[in-house]
Amino acid sequence: MRSGVTAQRWPRQHSERKSASIMDSATLEPSLYTVKAVFILDNDGNRLLSKYYDPELYPSMKEQRNFEKNIFNKTHKADNEIAFLEGMTIVYKSSIDLFLYVVGSCQENELMLMSVLNCLFDCLSQILRKNVERRCFLENMEGAFLIVDEIIDGGVILESDAQQVLQKVNYRVDESSLSEQSVAQHVTEKLALTINVLQSAKEQIKWSILK
């Protein structure tokens, strides 16, 4: 009788353990498409560009600066490409006097974060004509922000192929230029029309006086 009860209870206990195991696995399973933050610092650790996508991660400017300073102090003399700090996984790359960082949670896939970092670096290298350094970067800040926005949207990775990103950025730039050109053309046409109307009015006044 006792063995029968045990036989009936075992599947339930086994099922509970299995469910708990599945829940633990789900909890630990990495989210492959989430980036917590992206930022670029100069060789003194000063922020040049930053985007934080998780509103609960360092919500104040002071917290963000402290986080960036701590990361910079830990990585600017290191030879590695991956660091772990404050429960975050950070992949980074340096070039002359720039440091590029992509931040994910401790459960994030490092290869996925690295693909974002490499895409960002390759795109910057293209628009800066391989001069990935502070002066050229500051002269092309608008392009850098466009690149980041094409790679990541709200923490979700949209694209990690540099050529695809550059095509989209160039399209947006061309579209913007076309829009400005259209506005300028419209203003010119309106001005010409106004001049013609004024000229016609002057001619009419002239003829009315002569009569």
Side-chain angles (χ1 to χ4, degrees):
M1 183 79 174
R2 220 178 262 174
S3 62
V5 173
T6 305
Q8 289 177 357
R9 290 171 111 186
W10 181 83
R12 182 179 176 185
Q13 291 172 345
H14 178 70
S15 176
E16 288 174 353
R17 287 198 198 99
K18 188 174 180 181
S19 299
S21 176
I22 291 172
M23 288 179 66
D24 290 342
S25 300
T27 304
L28 296 173
E29 184 179 354
S31 170
L32 301 182
Y33 305 99
T34 302
V35 173
K36 298 290 185 183
V38 172
F39 49 86
I40 298 175
L41 311 177
D42 65 15
N43 60 347
D44 293 319
N46 298 314
R47 175 194 286 189
L48 302 179
L49 176 153
S50 75
K51 289 219 168 191
Y52 284 75
Y53 301 103
D54 186 345
E56 296 180 0
L57 178 69
Y58 313 116
S60 71
M61 183 70 70
K62 183 179 179 180
E63 289 174 304
Q64 292 176 11
R65 297 278 187 171
N66 287 337
F67 178 60
E68 292 165 13
K69 181 180 179 181
N70 290 338
I71 289 180
F72 180 76
N73 290 338
K74 183 171 182 176
T75 60
H76 78 287
K77 291 184 179 179
D79 295 328
N80 301 322
E81 294 182 333
I82 301 174
F84 301 94
L85 183 70
E86 299 180 20
M88 296 289 122
T89 300
I90 304 114
V91 294
Y92 61 96
K93 187 187 289 282
S94 64
S95 175
I96 308 176
D97 53 1
L98 290 182
F99 289 81
L100 289 69
Y101 297 90
V102 176
V103 181
S105 73
C106 61
Q107 299 172 4
E108 290 303 329
N109 184 290
E110 296 165 7
L111 294 178
M112 184 65 73
L113 295 176
M114 189 62 74
S115 72
V116 172
L117 178 66
N118 289 334
C119 180
L120 175 59
F121 183 85
D122 291 344
C123 289
L124 290 177
S125 182
Q126 287 287 329
I127 69 167
L128 301 180
R129 292 179 168 81
K130 302 192 182 302
N131 295 315
V132 186
E133 48 89 22
R134 186 178 186 275
R135 182 182 60 81
C136 290
F137 179 81
L138 290 176
E139 291 174 355
N140 293 271
M141 284 286 288
E142 184 178 356
F145 274 103
L146 287 175
I147 285 170
V148 173
D149 288 343
E150 288 296 341
I151 298 173
I152 307 160
D153 181 20
V156 177
I157 300 171
L158 300 178
E159 184 61 72
S160 59
D161 184 294
Q163 293 306 314
Q164 292 294 324
V165 171
L166 289 169
Q167 286 179 13
K168 293 175 183 177
V169 167
N170 288 334
Y171 175 78
R172 286 174 63 177
V173 170
D174 292 342
E175 192 178 49
S176 176
S177 299
L178 181 62
S179 177
E180 292 174 2
Q181 183 179 355
S182 300
V183 170
Q185 184 178 353
H186 179 70
V187 170
T188 303
E189 290 174 353
K190 291 286 286 184
L191 183 61
L193 181 61
T194 303
I195 291 173
N196 288 336
V197 169
L198 290 174
Q199 189 67 31
S200 176
K202 285 170 67 177
E203 289 293 330
Q204 290 180 4
I205 294 171
K206 177 182 175 182
W207 284 111
S208 64
I209 292 174
L210 289 175
K211 288 178 181 180

